[in-house]
Amino acid sequence: MEFLAPTTWADALAARSEHPGAMPIAGGTDLMVELNFDRHRPEGLLDLTRVPELRDWQRTEDGGVRLGAGVTFARVMTELADLAPGLAMASRTVGSPQIRVRGTVGGNLGSASPAGDAHPVLLAVDAVVEVESVRGSRQVPVAEFFTGVKRSSLEPDELIAAVLLPPVAGPQQFAKIGTRNAMVIAVTSFGLALHGDRRTVGAAIGSAAPTPRHAATAEAFLAAALDEDGLWESRGDLPDATATRFGDLVAADASPIDDVRGTAAYRRHALSVLARRTLGWAWHDYRGEAA
Amino acid sequence: MRVDLTVNGERRQADDVWEGESLLYVLRERLGLPGSKNACEQGECGSCSVYLDGDVVCACLVAAGQAQGRDVMTVEGLATDDVLHPVQTAFLETGAVQCGFCTPGLLVAVHDLLARDPSPDDDTVREALAGNLCRCTGYEKILDAVRLAAERGRG
Ligand SMILES: Cc1cc2nc3c(=O)[nH]c(=O)nc-3n(C[C@H](O)[C@H](O)[C@H](O)COP(=O)(O)OP(=O)(O)OC[C@H]3O[C@@H](n4cnc5c(N)ncnc54)[C@H](O)[C@@H]3O)c2cc1C
Ligand code: FES
Ligand code: FES
């Protein structure tokens, strides 16, 4: 086994292309478990923790954020609560302090687990994954990034450079169901963003389909319902029927399975509740914004 | 490969390290520091908690090579000479130690918590220790230990 420890982004890309058998490792919170249990024995490890370009985040010209792939959940929680509220909420629910201080958003994407807690929110805000190889850089909308259970559209010579988050355009929420508060893989999870500026809704589900994905029917329904009732402008009371219907549509947009963590029926039920509840919170925030 | 690192203030060198092994394995099996415990090797229990460049991490999830040139502090580094750290005495006095397997990780985590927040409320303590499992004590005595250590720390 070889251990590659590049100290610049250019060297990391060169190493990725020259040593395709070396697995990238960031916080190691997914990969080291695989190694410790001998479920996986890569030809080498490509350590990304010494690449300064991955560790930082910046404001983008449009007012959004370019989040380096190596930024940890702990930093998202403390530094980005305003610029990436949904992602910060999701980050707070990841594992334990020890996991959050090492685990990265890039690693969450790299693992591409249907249960990855960053994913529903990244979908809801229409984030873009910036990937790069020695051949060049490309921008992949996060909805196209996930291609199957633990599979992504990352090519073998590519690394995740960053995640591009659009400017916050309204309230964002994240909620997850697990057997307890700390240290749980989501039984199911939900991310929501109300884009008041363009009057659209981002809603996405985790752990309830082969990949994290948009709840597209529910998104379209809610945006149209808010339009019809003039609620985007009036910021009036949200009818209970709208919230309930939204929850039901989110559940219908999922295609969950039965597994050790929960049944498909439970997941659908939980999703409808999470969706309705997070919508209530988000709507409360949206009304507060005008005040 | 060879890994050079600072452990508890001393420059240390580990030879013949397998590239896929963890910092925990290096500490226990190559550097003779068995304080950090290996219970789950999957980040769930926190018994391997150590400081890595000032952050409390699960040593079982850090690849050995990622610790190259870094600064590590283990439970063995908490006491000075023969004098236990106040967090350690608080654990002893409150009966927060039964089988002791979780204790080294908890000591490191509590040490870190109190350094950042000298008067944490119970919710803060529970949240900070969410990554450290104990099968024996039921946690009440551990909370007592944290309260006692915090009280003495504020002196
Ligand atoms: C005890 C425990 C609890 C956990 N709880 C949660 C939880 O609540 N929610 C959750 O979502 N996850 C959880 N996880 C999983 C894990 O912490 C996350 O998926 C985390 O985001 C992984 O990030 P990392 O930096 O540690 O990734 P690593 O383990 O270093 O890498 C993960 C994968 O991504 C690849 N990779 C990493 N960086 C890049 C890059 N820049 N470019 C290309 N590929 C890359 C690696 O090759 C590997 O395949 C938990 C893990 C543990 C051990
Ligand atoms: S042995 Fe590292 S967390 Fe359990
Ligand atoms: S004292 Fe036995 S596990 Fe905590």
Side-chain angles (χ1 to χ4, degrees):
Chain A
M1 207 164 166
E2 54 193 339
F3 192 88
L4 306 160
T7 55
T8 66
W9 179 234
D11 286 350
L13 293 176
R16 182 79 184 120
S17 113
E18 284 157 26
H19 305 266
M23 283 284 277
I25 178 166
T29 59
D30 276 320
L31 190 54
M32 285 305 290
V33 178
E34 302 283 303
L35 295 186
N36 289 343
F37 285 80
D38 223 352
R39 285 185 207 134
H40 198 70
R41 182 152 311 185
E43 284 159 36
L45 291 177
L46 171 57
D47 180 22
L48 298 175
T49 56
R50 290 169 210 274
V51 178
E53 292 90 332
L54 294 179
R55 275 204 300 269
D56 274 317
W57 60 266
Q58 301 90 25
R59 291 297 290 268
T60 50
E61 269 171 30
D62 66 357
V65 170
R66 181 180 182 278
L67 184 72
V71 176
T72 61
F73 293 115
R75 287 190 55 202
V76 173
M77 277 165 61
T78 53
E79 297 170 27
L80 291 171
D82 293 329
L83 292 172
L87 189 60
M89 268 180 217
S91 299
R92 266 182 228 118
T93 76
V94 172
S96 64
Q98 287 94 325
I99 300 301
R100 295 192 291 268
V101 83
R102 292 289 290 172
T104 65
V105 176
N108 213 230
L109 285 166
S111 292
S113 158
D117 282 329
H119 308 155
V121 165
L122 294 180
L123 283 163
V125 304
D126 295 317
V128 170
V129 188
E130 188 186 309
V131 303
E132 196 170 338
S133 71
V134 289
R135 294 174 293 119
S137 160
R138 52 186 191 108
Q139 299 202 341
V140 186
V142 71
E144 289 162 34
F145 185 79
F146 306 111
T147 54
V149 178
K150 302 199 176 179
R151 291 179 47 178
S152 75
S153 61
L154 206 62
E155 298 287 340
D157 64 344
E158 285 178 328
L159 289 172
I160 303 165
V163 183
L164 304 171
L165 302 167
V168 177
Q172 299 178 3
Q173 283 291 338
F174 172 81
K176 116 187 191 190
I177 292 277
T179 40
R180 63 182 187 127
N181 247 340
M183 295 283 247
V184 288
I185 303 179
V187 174
T188 189
S189 60
F190 183 70
L192 176 67
L194 300 181
H195 307 300
D197 60 340
R198 49 191 186 280
R199 299 184 182 184
T200 58
V201 171
I205 55 187
S207 265
T211 66
R213 70 184 194 200
H214 281 280
T217 324
E219 287 175 334
F221 160 78
L222 182 59
L226 295 175
D227 252 342
E228 274 161 34
D229 297 344
L231 287 169
W232 286 114
E233 305 88 60
S234 73
R235 299 180 195 245
D237 281 331
L238 185 75
D240 285 345
T242 305
T244 304
R245 179 85 184 124
F246 177 68
D248 292 346
L249 287 173
V250 167
D253 277 332
S255 46
I257 54 166
D258 293 330
D259 69 11
V260 287
R261 279 179 280 135
T263 61
Y266 175 72
R267 286 191 160 97
R268 272 195 215 278
H269 171 70
L271 265 177
S272 71
V273 175
L274 290 185
R276 185 158 35 85
R277 214 175 269 169
T278 52
L279 175 57
W281 296 330
W283 193 252
H284 180 267
D285 291 349
Y286 185 66
R287 302 185 71 177
E289 274 177 11
Chain B
M1 68 176 171
R2 166 175 290 181
V3 176
D4 295 285
L5 70 174
T6 304
V7 185
N8 301 329
E10 269 178 55
R11 304 277 309 152
R12 300 292 303 265
Q13 190 172 81
D15 282 309
D16 303 318
V17 171
W18 176 60
E19 288 74 7
E21 75 191 38
S22 67
L23 171 61
L24 179 61
Y25 193 89
V26 170
L27 292 171
R28 291 178 54 86
E29 311 297 334
R30 306 206 185 271
L31 299 178
L33 290 166
S36 314
K37 297 290 178 257
N38 175 358
C40 74
E41 284 199 294
Q42 51 180 319
E44 296 277 350
C45 75
S47 62
C48 65
S49 299
V50 301
Y51 281 101
L52 176 68
D53 280 355
D55 292 325
V56 175
V57 306
C58 296
C60 70
L61 299 182
V62 176
Q66 292 184 305
Q68 167 67 35
R70 305 277 189 214
D71 191 52
V72 174
M73 186 166 90
T74 68
V75 69
E76 285 97 339
L78 294 184
T80 33
D81 301 320
D82 283 340
V83 184
L84 291 181
H85 188 277
V87 173
Q88 293 172 302
T89 33
F91 267 67
L92 286 175
E93 289 174 28
T94 52
V97 182
Q98 287 189 28
C99 81
F101 217 78
C102 66
T103 312
L106 272 161
L107 290 172
V108 172
V110 173
H111 183 268
D112 175 55
L113 166 66
L114 295 181
R116 285 180 293 110
D117 182 353
S119 325
D121 59 29
D122 281 2
D123 282 347
T124 308
V125 176
R126 286 176 191 277
E127 175 55 35
L129 304 184
N132 293 80
L133 301 186
C134 174
R135 296 181 305 174
C136 305
T137 64
Y139 301 101
E140 279 308 321
K141 305 279 182 194
I142 293 171
L143 286 173
D144 288 345
V146 180
R147 289 185 202 110
L148 181 63
E151 204 178 290
R152 287 188 182 153
R154 287 192 300 271

